[in-house]
Amino acid sequence: MQQSAQRSGSRAGRWQARMTAGVVGYLVFVEFTSGVLQGYYIPLLTDIARHLGINDADVNWLEAGQLMLSAIAVPVLAKLGDLHGHRRMLLWSAAVVAVATIVLAFAQTFPVFLLAWAVQGIYAAWLPLQVALIYSRSRGLPDTAARTRRATGLIVAALQLGAIVGALSGGVIGDLLGDALWLVLLAPGVLVVGVVVVVWRLVPEGTDRMQGVVDSGGAALLTAVLLVVTGGLTFVRLNGAEQAWPWLVVAAGLLLVWPFVRYELRQPDPLVDFRVLRSSAMWPVQLTAGLFGVSVLGAQGPLSTFARTDPDVYGYGLGLSTSSVSLVIGAYVISMLVGASQFARVSRLTTPRLTLIGAAALVATGYLLLVPFHDELGQVLAGMTVAGVGSGALVAALPAAAAAAAPAGRTAVATGLTNTTKVIGGMFASSVFALALAAGAPVLAGGVEGTAGSLTGYVTVWAICGSTALIAAVALVFVPRLAFADPAQTEDRTVAAREETAG
């Protein structure tokens, strides 16, 4: 009887594993499309800026607006996923992104473009919803955490592959159809519509559910914090850093964080569960996600515009064409693909904690190398490749680590929180980088103001990206040594350590 039960349990486990693998296969396409969206527009940013009549520094406000909306939408959608189904929220968010992508192509003014661009950023919720769905469908298997890490590495690898394809195709299509920018911008919409169909028809729902309601008060307070801070930074950009009152607006927004945290701690079912952050395995992960967002989300616009800046006119920059910039972005994303695809293997050989520390250190090294070495294409490629390997590993590792450290029924909230903190870090970085690039903007012969950002601003961007990644590596040292590992792996390493000590 016992053997029969064991065989039955083994068959059920194999069936569950096959079902999980099938789900991952469909989600690969979803995350591939997310990657295309993240890479496609980067080589086109200068063209978009000229089309909308804005300077290169103002491109960062597009990123800031998108990241701000993402920071609000991700925790809400993650919470709704835990309450009503991760697949359901994935489907609805994909539909909204599809509409925004199509509107983006036909926008003729900066406000409309900014609104559509911001709404499109809801795709940031796709990854945490998918990780939670995978974790839910593999729950009960003996290697749930390891299986989630492998699956997350696979879909993140698809994301990076999509970013490569997006960056290369964006550059090529931009060169071929440059006179019809609306048609260039419409191309990604076809893939997003495909995501809606795939999720609707092929992706099954998860099994985990939790009781509760969406914390609308918390969402309102979070929105207020982000709007006031971003608004203050916008006023600094428009009125000049020497004016005091815009900085007071920024300070008021930061002070609103305190009542937001106090309010959330009083809620039985908060939007952002700060109690989860008290775990020694969780707070360094979330801090790392926020600091990592500075570089992975905030620095892509400056990288693109620096590569397009003509050194013969401004004395710095790489002077690349749209298609050539796509090759630079492609090289960076290929290195991210390598990091994402190898992080699970490196974690098995070492520990997930050491993998996270090493990845953050690589990001820091790559960006700090750009501070002195940025005059030639080879130098920029070398720095971005080193940073890219670490970035790819972190993109894959952070949501999986949060899922492993989260209590049952809160995986989407925990993984969503990594994206929330990441986009908040990217939002602040984009706003600050816009100010840095605008400060000391070059003036051309005849007193004509140039459209390029300042060299000092670019160096500041790279220094901030490297420093924040270094701080993240230090924070991860405080994670328990065997955090995020499966129980069997933890037991094996503990036994090995005891034997080594006894020997």
Side-chain angles (χ1 to χ4, degrees), residues 56-69 71 114 225-238 240-241 246-247 250 254 293-295 297-302 422-439 457 460-461 464-465:
D56 288 350
D58 292 326
V59 167
N60 291 275
W61 295 113
L62 292 174
E63 297 298 320
Q66 186 178 89
L67 294 172
M68 182 184 71
L69 186 63
L114 176 61
V225 170
L226 298 177
L227 282 176
V228 174
V229 172
T230 306
L233 291 171
T234 303
F235 293 143
V236 173
R237 168 74 177 93
L238 296 176
W247 293 109
V250 175
L254 294 176
V294 171
S295 60
L297 297 178
Q300 302 315 303
K422 183 170 69 176
V423 297
I424 288 175
M427 184 200 72
F428 284 124
S430 293
S431 301
V432 171
F433 293 167
L435 297 174
L437 293 175
T460 301
V461 168
I464 291 175
C465 290

Side-chain angles (χ1 to χ4, degrees), residues 17-18 20 134 138 141 143-152 486:
R18 286 195 297 271
T20 302
I134 293 167
S138 60
L141 296 175
D143 59 344
T144 299
R147 187 178 295 275
T148 303
R149 282 196 298 272
R150 290 194 297 270
T152 302
D486 285 306

Side-chain angles (χ1 to χ4, degrees), residues 45-419:
L45 288 177
T46 298
D47 301 304
I48 290 171
R50 300 295 87 80
H51 171 70
L52 297 175
I54 61 176
N55 294 330
D56 288 350
D58 292 326
V59 167
N60 291 275
W61 295 113
L62 292 174
E63 297 298 320
Q66 186 178 89
L67 294 172
M68 182 184 71
L69 186 63
S70 298
I72 300 167
V74 168
V76 172
L77 289 171
K79 184 67 174 182
L80 288 171
D82 281 339
L83 293 175
H84 304 296
H86 305 123
R87 178 257 184 192
R88 179 179 298 179
M89 291 305 106
L90 186 60
L91 176 60
W92 281 106
S93 63
V96 172
V97 172
V99 172
T101 304
I102 294 171
V103 171
L104 194 68
F106 297 99
Q108 296 297 314
T109 63
F110 181 66
V112 175
F113 194 94
L114 176 61
L115 178 61
W117 185 279
V119 173
Q120 188 193 55
I122 290 176
Y123 69 73
W126 291 357
L127 181 59
L129 286 171
Q130 291 174 95
V131 173
L133 181 60
I134 293 167
Y135 195 85
S136 170
R137 297 196 65 84
S138 60
R139 187 182 294 279
L141 296 175
D143 59 344
T144 299
R147 187 178 295 275
T148 303
R149 282 196 298 272
R150 290 194 297 270
T152 302
L154 183 61
I155 62 176
V156 170
L159 182 153
Q160 306 305 341
L161 179 61
I164 296 169
V165 173
L168 295 177
S169 60
V172 172
I173 295 174
D175 273 348
L176 292 176
L177 303 175
D179 294 334
L181 187 61
W182 69 271
L183 191 58
V184 177
L185 298 178
L186 187 62
V190 178
L191 282 177
V192 184
V193 172
V195 167
V196 176
V197 175
V198 167
V199 175
W200 174 40
R201 302 294 297 174
L202 299 175
V203 176
E205 186 58 271
T207 57
D208 285 353
R209 291 290 191 282
M210 62 178 293
Q211 300 298 317
V213 295
V214 175
D215 177 18
S216 57
L221 283 171
L222 177 60
T223 301
V225 170
L226 298 177
L227 282 176
V228 174
V229 172
T230 306
L233 291 171
T234 303
F235 293 143
V236 173
R237 168 74 177 93
L238 296 176
N239 295 275
E242 66 278 0
Q243 296 287 329
W245 70 268
W247 293 109
L248 293 177
V249 176
V250 175
L254 294 176
L255 288 175
L256 286 175
V257 173
W258 176 247
F260 169 62
V261 174
R262 293 291 301 273
Y263 176 85
E264 292 293 87
L265 289 175
R266 291 196 303 267
Q267 304 307 305
D269 196 16
L271 178 71
V272 180
D273 195 346
F274 289 99
R275 286 181 289 267
V276 172
L277 292 176
R278 294 173 181 172
S279 165
S280 59
M282 184 65 76
W283 72 261
V285 171
Q286 300 299 343
L287 176 60
T288 297
L291 295 171
F292 176 50
V294 171
S295 60
V296 76
L297 297 178
Q300 302 315 303
L303 173 62
S304 175
T305 55
F306 180 82
R308 291 291 299 274
T309 300
D310 190 346
D312 294 332
V313 176
Y314 296 99
Y316 55 89
L318 301 179
L320 302 180
S321 64
T322 301
S323 57
S324 297
V325 170
S326 69
L327 296 177
V328 175
I329 303 299
Y332 168 64
V333 179
I334 287 173
S335 64
M336 291 185 69
L337 174 61
V338 172
S341 62
Q342 295 301 311
F343 97 96
R345 179 178 300 177
V346 176
S347 294
R348 287 197 303 270
L349 296 175
T350 57
T351 64
R353 167 182 172 268
L354 287 178
T355 304
L356 284 165
I357 293 172
L362 284 174
V363 175
T365 301
Y367 277 103
L368 292 177
L369 282 173
L370 289 178
V371 173
F373 304 114
H374 53 259
D375 296 328
E376 299 177 1
L377 176 59
Q379 294 174 340
V380 174
L381 282 175
M384 295 310 301
T385 299
V386 173
V389 173
S391 296
L394 285 177
V395 168
L398 289 171
R410 292 187 175 269
T411 51
V413 169
T415 55
L417 190 56
T418 62
N419 260 36

